Amino acid sequence: MTDHDEAATVRPLTLAWVSRHLKAGERIVRTEALRGGITAEMRRLTIGTRDGRTRDLVLRSFVDPFYVEHAADWLNREAGALPLLAGTGVPAPELVAVDPTAAQCEHPSLLMTHLVGRTVLDDEAVETRIPLLARQLVAIHAMRPAERPREYVALTTADTVVVPKGADEAAWAAAIDVIRNPAPPYEGRFLHRDFQPGNVLFDVPPARPTGARITGVVDWAATSWGPSDLDVAHCSTNLALLHGPAWGLRFAEAYEEAGGMLAEAASERLYWQVRDGLACSEEVQQVTQPWREAGRTELTTRAVEERLDAYVTALMDTLG
C-alpha cells in the first residue's frame, strides 16, 4: 500500500477494520487525504480487486476531541440516512461499515462508497449551478422515510450571535430581535441540514462550465426532520458568503421555481433565513478556512464577515 501523503496514513486498527469489510481477495493499494472537511478527517481508499481493477471507498474519522464528543450521534445518523437514500434518485454514497464509538478503530469512523465529481466553489457559472442545487434540494425534501430522523436542532440564540466589526448595528439588532421569537409552525420535511456547495459534487465539462451536473450529495451526518426553509436558508447563507449576497437571495427563488415549498408569510421566511445567517456569525473562521484551502484565498475571515453583514442587511431590507 502506498500513501499519497503523510496525512493520508490510516492508523493500524482502523486499517484492519477497513480490511475486514472488503470483499474476498481485495486489498488497499493507495490512500489519499481529501481536503475541505471541518469536523472529520476524510480519506479516499483505492481498493485493488481480484480481477486487477480498482474501486474507491471513503473513510471518515473523527479525531479532534471536540468533535469526537459528538461523533457517535453524527455517525449513527449518517449510517441511518444512507440506506434510506439508496434507490431514491438522490445521489448519495452507500454505507459499507460504521464504528461510531471507536470500538474497533482508533477513532469513530464510517466507511462508504466514493462518488465521482468535485465540489465547485468558484464564481464561474454560478448562475447555472444554483438551479441545479435548488432542484436537488427539492428532491431531498420530497423523501418520506418510513422512520423519521430526529427533529432538527438550532443552537444559535440572541445571546450567542457575534456581530461583525463595523456591521450595520441597526440591521443586526433587528435581526437578533427576530430570533428572540418562538420558531414559526412548519410542515416537517426530510432535511440534509448541511446542504451547501461544499457538500455537493459536480461533473463540470472543462470546456463548458455551463454544462455542469450534480453527481453526488455527501455528509449526511446532520440529517434531521424540520422545515424546508431551514435547509434553504443554510444553502442561501453559504452562497451569499461564497458569491455575494444577491446569490443568497436568489437561491430561495430558485428553490420555489423548482417546485419547493417555503413558509407562506414573509415574516416566517425571514425567521429561518435570519436564524441561519446569524448562526454563521459564530463560526466564520471555521467556515472560511476550507474555502481558502480550496483556492478561494480572497475569502479571508474579514472579507466574509463583510459579506455576512451585507447579507443580513439585505434580508432585513427584503423580508423585514
Side-chain angles (χ1 to χ4, degrees), residues 13-85:
L13 292 178
T14 304
L15 190 63
W17 174 75
V18 170
S19 297
R20 289 196 294 272
H21 291 283
L22 301 180
K23 299 174 184 177
E26 291 188 331
R27 63 188 182 90
I28 301 170
V29 297
R30 178 185 170 93
T31 66
E32 176 186 356
L34 298 176
R35 311 297 181 184
I38 297 175
T39 59
E41 291 182 356
M42 304 289 292
R43 296 177 179 83
R44 178 164 64 185
L45 311 181
T46 300
I47 311 301
T49 63
R50 293 181 65 177
D51 60 4
R53 301 181 182 182
T54 61
R55 65 186 182 103
D56 290 334
L57 299 176
V58 172
L59 174 68
R60 180 204 298 274
S61 295
F62 287 86
V63 176
D64 187 298
F66 176 80
Y67 295 116
V68 166
E69 181 181 347
H70 306 280
D73 175 48
W74 291 339
L75 291 179
N76 280 323
R77 274 200 274 173
E78 185 157 30
L82 294 183
L84 296 176
L85 296 161

Side-chain angles (χ1 to χ4, degrees), residues 292-315:
R292 290 193 296 272
E293 291 175 352
R296 295 296 304 273
T297 54
E298 81 281 13
L299 293 179
T300 63
T301 299
R302 184 59 189 147
V304 172
E305 286 177 339
E306 291 174 351
R307 282 191 174 180
L308 180 59
D309 175 37
Y311 177 58
V312 169
T313 301
L315 287 175

Side-chain angles (χ1 to χ4, degrees), residues 284-294 299 301:
V284 171
Q285 188 169 353
Q286 296 98 303
V287 169
T288 56
Q289 181 177 343
W291 292 349
R292 290 193 296 272
E293 291 175 352
L299 293 179
T301 299

Side-chain angles (χ1 to χ4, degrees), residues 94-138:
E94 296 178 12
L95 176 69
V96 176
V98 63
D99 182 13
T101 60
Q104 302 175 64
C105 304
E106 284 86 352
H107 302 287
S109 298
L110 183 141
L111 187 66
M112 57 192 149
T113 57
H114 175 266
L115 299 178
V116 298
R118 61 182 178 87
T119 57
V120 182
L121 303 179
D122 55 41
D123 290 329
E124 186 178 13
V126 62
E127 69 280 1
T128 300
R129 295 195 303 275
I130 282 181
L132 298 178
L133 290 167
R135 288 196 291 270
Q136 185 62 77
L137 190 54
V138 169

